PDB file of all heavy atoms in Angstrom:
ATOM      1  N   MET A   6       0.887  15.231  -0.745  1.00 98.00           N
ATOM      2  CA  MET A   6       1.185  16.377  -1.598  1.00 98.00           C
ATOM      3  C   MET A   6       0.908  17.698  -0.824  1.00 98.00           C
ATOM      4  O   MET A   6      -0.082  17.851  -0.234  1.00 98.00           O
ATOM      5  CB  MET A   6       0.205  16.426  -2.848  1.00 98.00           C
ATOM      6  CG  MET A   6       0.417  17.505  -3.690  1.00 98.00           C
ATOM      7  SD  MET A   6      -0.851  17.621  -5.108  1.00 98.00           S
ATOM      8  CE  MET A   6      -0.421  16.174  -6.005  1.00 98.00           C
ATOM      9  N   ARG A  13       0.383  34.403  -0.705  1.00 95.00           N
ATOM     10  CA  ARG A  13       1.291  34.690   0.424  1.00 95.00           C
ATOM     11  C   ARG A  13       2.415  33.809   0.378  1.00 95.00           C
ATOM     12  O   ARG A  13       3.623  34.238   0.825  1.00 95.00           O
ATOM     13  CB  ARG A  13       0.605  34.430   1.772  1.00 95.00           C
ATOM     14  CG  ARG A  13       1.194  35.132   2.915  1.00 95.00           C
ATOM     15  CD  ARG A  13       0.512  35.009   4.089  1.00 95.00           C
ATOM     16  NE  ARG A  13      -0.762  35.721   4.170  1.00 95.00           N
ATOM     17  CZ  ARG A  13      -1.642  35.732   5.221  1.00 95.00           C
ATOM     18  NH1 ARG A  13      -1.368  35.048   6.221  1.00 95.00           N
ATOM     19  NH2 ARG A  13      -2.697  36.554   5.117  1.00 95.00           N
ATOM     20  N   ASP A  24      -7.149  31.369   5.187  1.00 96.00           N
ATOM     21  CA  ASP A  24      -7.803  30.504   4.267  1.00 96.00           C
ATOM     22  C   ASP A  24      -7.675  31.104   2.880  1.00 96.00           C
ATOM     23  O   ASP A  24      -8.807  31.388   2.363  1.00 96.00           O
ATOM     24  CB  ASP A  24      -9.161  30.138   4.690  1.00 96.00           C
ATOM     25  CG  ASP A  24      -9.687  28.787   4.090  1.00 96.00           C
ATOM     26  OD1 ASP A  24      -8.812  28.170   3.403  1.00 96.00           O
ATOM     27  OD2 ASP A  24     -10.839  28.464   4.247  1.00 96.00           O
ATOM     28  N   ASP A  28      -3.336  30.754  -6.241  1.00 98.00           N
ATOM     29  CA  ASP A  28      -3.247  31.853  -7.165  1.00 98.00           C
ATOM     30  C   ASP A  28      -3.049  31.282  -8.496  1.00 98.00           C
ATOM     31  O   ASP A  28      -3.180  30.021  -8.653  1.00 98.00           O
ATOM     32  CB  ASP A  28      -2.092  32.888  -6.822  1.00 98.00           C
ATOM     33  CG  ASP A  28      -0.709  32.171  -6.887  1.00 98.00           C
ATOM     34  OD1 ASP A  28      -0.530  30.984  -7.383  1.00 98.00           O
ATOM     35  OD2 ASP A  28       0.303  32.712  -6.371  1.00 98.00           O
ATOM     36  N   GLY A  39      -1.778  16.986 -11.222  1.00 97.00           N
ATOM     37  CA  GLY A  39      -2.896  15.946 -11.511  1.00 97.00           C
ATOM     38  C   GLY A  39      -2.648  15.185 -12.661  1.00 97.00           C
ATOM     39  O   GLY A  39      -2.855  14.034 -12.697  1.00 97.00           O
ATOM     40  N   CYS A  66      -8.273  15.222  -8.996  1.00 97.00           N
ATOM     41  CA  CYS A  66      -9.443  14.366  -9.343  1.00 97.00           C
ATOM     42  C   CYS A  66      -9.931  14.475 -10.808  1.00 97.00           C
ATOM     43  O   CYS A  66     -10.436  13.630 -11.456  1.00 97.00           O
ATOM     44  CB  CYS A  66     -10.628  14.687  -8.457  1.00 97.00           C
ATOM     45  SG  CYS A  66     -10.539  14.094  -6.801  1.00 97.00           S
ATOM     46  N   PRO A  74     -14.181  10.005  -3.868  1.00 96.00           N
ATOM     47  CA  PRO A  74     -14.586  11.278  -3.297  1.00 96.00           C
ATOM     48  C   PRO A  74     -13.489  11.952  -2.416  1.00 96.00           C
ATOM     49  O   PRO A  74     -12.743  11.289  -1.792  1.00 96.00           O
ATOM     50  CB  PRO A  74     -15.799  10.838  -2.462  1.00 96.00           C
ATOM     51  CG  PRO A  74     -15.589   9.420  -2.246  1.00 96.00           C
ATOM     52  CD  PRO A  74     -14.898   8.918  -3.346  1.00 96.00           C
ATOM     53  N   LYS A 104      12.325  26.965  16.642  1.00 90.00           N
ATOM     54  CA  LYS A 104      13.099  25.975  17.215  1.00 90.00           C
ATOM     55  C   LYS A 104      12.658  25.424  18.486  1.00 90.00           C
ATOM     56  O   LYS A 104      13.172  24.540  19.053  1.00 90.00           O
ATOM     57  CB  LYS A 104      14.492  26.544  17.206  1.00 90.00           C
ATOM     58  CG  LYS A 104      15.218  26.929  15.971  1.00 90.00           C
ATOM     59  CD  LYS A 104      16.486  27.648  16.215  1.00 90.00           C
ATOM     60  CE  LYS A 104      17.079  28.145  14.900  1.00 90.00           C
ATOM     61  NZ  LYS A 104      18.372  28.903  14.997  1.00 90.00           N
ATOM     62  N   TYR A 116       4.558  22.201  17.960  1.00 94.00           N
ATOM     63  CA  TYR A 116       4.715  21.113  17.008  1.00 94.00           C
ATOM     64  C   TYR A 116       4.077  19.919  17.712  1.00 94.00           C
ATOM     65  O   TYR A 116       3.546  19.023  16.979  1.00 94.00           O
ATOM     66  CB  TYR A 116       6.161  20.955  16.662  1.00 94.00           C
ATOM     67  CG  TYR A 116       6.658  22.034  15.643  1.00 94.00           C
ATOM     68  CD1 TYR A 116       7.523  22.959  16.063  1.00 94.00           C
ATOM     69  CD2 TYR A 116       6.369  21.853  14.308  1.00 94.00           C
ATOM     70  CE1 TYR A 116       7.907  23.925  15.201  1.00 94.00           C
ATOM     71  CE2 TYR A 116       6.715  22.796  13.319  1.00 94.00           C
ATOM     72  CZ  TYR A 116       7.562  23.753  13.782  1.00 94.00           C
ATOM     73  OH  TYR A 116       8.020  24.747  13.088  1.00 94.00           O
ATOM     74  N   THR A 131      -4.579   4.068   9.232  1.00 90.00           N
ATOM     75  CA  THR A 131      -4.008   2.696   9.214  1.00 90.00           C
ATOM     76  C   THR A 131      -5.040   1.551   9.456  1.00 90.00           C
ATOM     77  O   THR A 131      -5.211   0.664   8.753  1.00 90.00           O
ATOM     78  CB  THR A 131      -2.971   2.443  10.200  1.00 90.00           C
ATOM     79  OG1 THR A 131      -1.821   3.347   9.910  1.00 90.00           O
ATOM     80  CG2 THR A 131      -2.383   1.025  10.281  1.00 90.00           C
ATOM     81  N   LYS A 136      -8.651  -2.614   6.845  1.00 85.00           N
ATOM     82  CA  LYS A 136     -10.001  -3.199   6.653  1.00 85.00           C
ATOM     83  C   LYS A 136     -10.393  -3.288   5.279  1.00 85.00           C
ATOM     84  O   LYS A 136     -11.002  -4.167   4.759  1.00 85.00           O
ATOM     85  CB  LYS A 136     -11.050  -2.471   7.489  1.00 85.00           C
ATOM     86  CG  LYS A 136     -10.876  -2.486   8.953  1.00 85.00           C
ATOM     87  CD  LYS A 136     -11.962  -1.686   9.696  1.00 85.00           C
ATOM     88  CE  LYS A 136     -11.831  -1.715  11.168  1.00 85.00           C
ATOM     89  NZ  LYS A 136     -12.852  -0.918  11.880  1.00 85.00           N
ATOM     90  N   ARG A 152       5.715  17.944   7.012  1.00 97.00           N
ATOM     91  CA  ARG A 152       6.928  17.675   7.778  1.00 97.00           C
ATOM     92  C   ARG A 152       6.779  16.779   8.881  1.00 97.00           C
ATOM     93  O   ARG A 152       7.580  15.799   9.109  1.00 97.00           O
ATOM     94  CB  ARG A 152       7.391  19.088   8.367  1.00 97.00           C
ATOM     95  CG  ARG A 152       8.640  19.029   9.211  1.00 97.00           C
ATOM     96  CD  ARG A 152       9.060  20.327  10.008  1.00 97.00           C
ATOM     97  NE  ARG A 152       9.338  21.307   8.983  1.00 97.00           N
ATOM     98  CZ  ARG A 152       8.589  22.454   8.736  1.00 97.00           C
ATOM     99  NH1 ARG A 152       7.438  22.609   9.367  1.00 97.00           N
ATOM    100  NH2 ARG A 152       9.088  23.377   7.878  1.00 97.00           N
ATOM    101  N   ASP A 165      17.331  18.409  10.842  1.00 94.00           N
ATOM    102  CA  ASP A 165      16.627  17.972   9.650  1.00 94.00           C
ATOM    103  C   ASP A 165      15.202  18.396   9.634  1.00 94.00           C
ATOM    104  O   ASP A 165      14.506  18.713   8.724  1.00 94.00           O
ATOM    105  CB  ASP A 165      16.832  16.394   9.534  1.00 94.00           C
ATOM    106  CG  ASP A 165      18.159  15.960   8.990  1.00 94.00           C
ATOM    107  OD1 ASP A 165      18.816  16.802   8.571  1.00 94.00           O
ATOM    108  OD2 ASP A 165      18.514  14.900   9.326  1.00 94.00           O
ATOM    109  N   ASN A 173       5.574  23.567  -3.407  1.00 98.00           N
ATOM    110  CA  ASN A 173       4.123  23.544  -3.698  1.00 98.00           C
ATOM    111  C   ASN A 173       3.886  22.479  -4.851  1.00 98.00           C
ATOM    112  O   ASN A 173       4.633  22.381  -5.726  1.00 98.00           O
ATOM    113  CB  ASN A 173       3.799  24.922  -4.255  1.00 98.00           C
ATOM    114  CG  ASN A 173       3.746  26.030  -3.296  1.00 98.00           C
ATOM    115  OD1 ASN A 173       4.447  26.970  -3.361  1.00 98.00           O
ATOM    116  ND2 ASN A 173       2.897  25.945  -2.247  1.00 98.00           N
ATOM    117  N   ARG A 177       5.466  13.322  -2.021  1.00 98.00           N
ATOM    118  CA  ARG A 177       6.260  12.274  -1.251  1.00 98.00           C
ATOM    119  C   ARG A 177       5.433  10.964  -1.151  1.00 98.00           C
ATOM    120  O   ARG A 177       4.283  10.997  -0.826  1.00 98.00           O
ATOM    121  CB  ARG A 177       6.803  12.761  -0.002  1.00 98.00           C
ATOM    122  CG  ARG A 177       7.642  14.033  -0.012  1.00 98.00           C
ATOM    123  CD  ARG A 177       9.056  13.738  -0.496  1.00 98.00           C
ATOM    124  NE  ARG A 177       9.738  15.081  -0.710  1.00 98.00           N
ATOM    125  CZ  ARG A 177      10.542  15.772   0.161  1.00 98.00           C
ATOM    126  NH1 ARG A 177      10.700  15.039   1.374  1.00 98.00           N
ATOM    127  NH2 ARG A 177      11.101  16.755  -0.165  1.00 98.00           N
ATOM    128  N   ILE A 186       7.030  -0.739  15.936  1.00 71.00           N
ATOM    129  CA  ILE A 186       8.012  -1.524  16.704  1.00 71.00           C
ATOM    130  C   ILE A 186       7.598  -1.631  18.167  1.00 71.00           C
ATOM    131  O   ILE A 186       7.559  -2.648  18.894  1.00 71.00           O
ATOM    132  CB  ILE A 186       9.432  -0.972  16.562  1.00 71.00           C
ATOM    133  CG1 ILE A 186       9.886  -1.083  15.052  1.00 71.00           C
ATOM    134  CG2 ILE A 186      10.337  -1.720  17.444  1.00 71.00           C
ATOM    135  CD1 ILE A 186      11.279  -0.378  14.876  1.00 71.00           C
ATOM    136  N   PHE A 195      12.046 -12.000  31.989  1.00 88.00           N
ATOM    137  CA  PHE A 195      13.144 -12.456  31.394  1.00 88.00           C
ATOM    138  C   PHE A 195      13.979 -11.248  30.765  1.00 88.00           C
ATOM    139  O   PHE A 195      15.214 -11.201  30.823  1.00 88.00           O
ATOM    140  CB  PHE A 195      12.814 -13.539  30.287  1.00 88.00           C
ATOM    141  CG  PHE A 195      14.119 -13.930  29.516  1.00 88.00           C
ATOM    142  CD1 PHE A 195      15.079 -14.792  30.064  1.00 88.00           C
ATOM    143  CD2 PHE A 195      14.190 -13.503  28.234  1.00 88.00           C
ATOM    144  CE1 PHE A 195      16.167 -15.318  29.350  1.00 88.00           C
ATOM    145  CE2 PHE A 195      15.438 -13.861  27.515  1.00 88.00           C
ATOM    146  CZ  PHE A 195      16.353 -14.898  28.025  1.00 88.00           C
ATOM    147  N   GLU A 208      23.875  -5.130  40.970  1.00 71.00           N
ATOM    148  CA  GLU A 208      23.947  -6.367  41.612  1.00 71.00           C
ATOM    149  C   GLU A 208      23.631  -6.294  43.134  1.00 71.00           C
ATOM    150  O   GLU A 208      22.991  -7.029  43.689  1.00 71.00           O
ATOM    151  CB  GLU A 208      25.449  -6.960  41.291  1.00 71.00           C
ATOM    152  CG  GLU A 208      25.686  -8.372  41.888  1.00 71.00           C
ATOM    153  CD  GLU A 208      24.677  -9.396  41.175  1.00 71.00           C
ATOM    154  OE1 GLU A 208      24.379  -9.156  39.934  1.00 71.00           O
ATOM    155  OE2 GLU A 208      24.214 -10.325  41.835  1.00 71.00           O
ATOM    156  N   CYS A 221      10.442 -10.034  54.863  1.00 66.00           N
ATOM    157  CA  CYS A 221       9.007  -9.828  54.737  1.00 66.00           C
ATOM    158  C   CYS A 221       8.290 -11.137  54.824  1.00 66.00           C
ATOM    159  O   CYS A 221       7.146 -11.289  55.405  1.00 66.00           O
ATOM    160  CB  CYS A 221       8.623  -9.224  53.467  1.00 66.00           C
ATOM    161  SG  CYS A 221       9.152  -7.344  53.403  1.00 66.00           S
ATOM    162  N   ARG A 225      14.491 -17.010  56.767  1.00 58.00           N
ATOM    163  CA  ARG A 225      15.877 -16.498  56.696  1.00 58.00           C
ATOM    164  C   ARG A 225      16.634 -17.303  55.636  1.00 58.00           C
ATOM    165  O   ARG A 225      16.348 -18.386  55.312  1.00 58.00           O
ATOM    166  CB  ARG A 225      16.540 -16.839  58.008  1.00 58.00           C
ATOM    167  CG  ARG A 225      15.930 -16.103  59.281  1.00 58.00           C
ATOM    168  CD  ARG A 225      16.523 -16.494  60.507  1.00 58.00           C
ATOM    169  NE  ARG A 225      16.118 -17.879  60.814  1.00 58.00           N
ATOM    170  CZ  ARG A 225      16.742 -18.549  61.775  1.00 58.00           C
ATOM    171  NH1 ARG A 225      17.505 -18.037  62.635  1.00 58.00           N
ATOM    172  NH2 ARG A 225      16.420 -19.900  61.883  1.00 58.00           N
TER     173      ARG A 225
END
Side-chain angles (χ1 to χ4, degrees):
M6 179 190 293
R13 202 177 290 176
D24 201 7
D28 63 14
C66 287
K104 299 176 184 178
Y116 285 106
T131 295
K136 292 178 183 177
R152 177 187 294 114
D165 288 341
N173 292 114
R177 301 285 172 93
I186 297 176
F195 175 76
E208 189 61 33
C221 291
R225 295 172 298 175

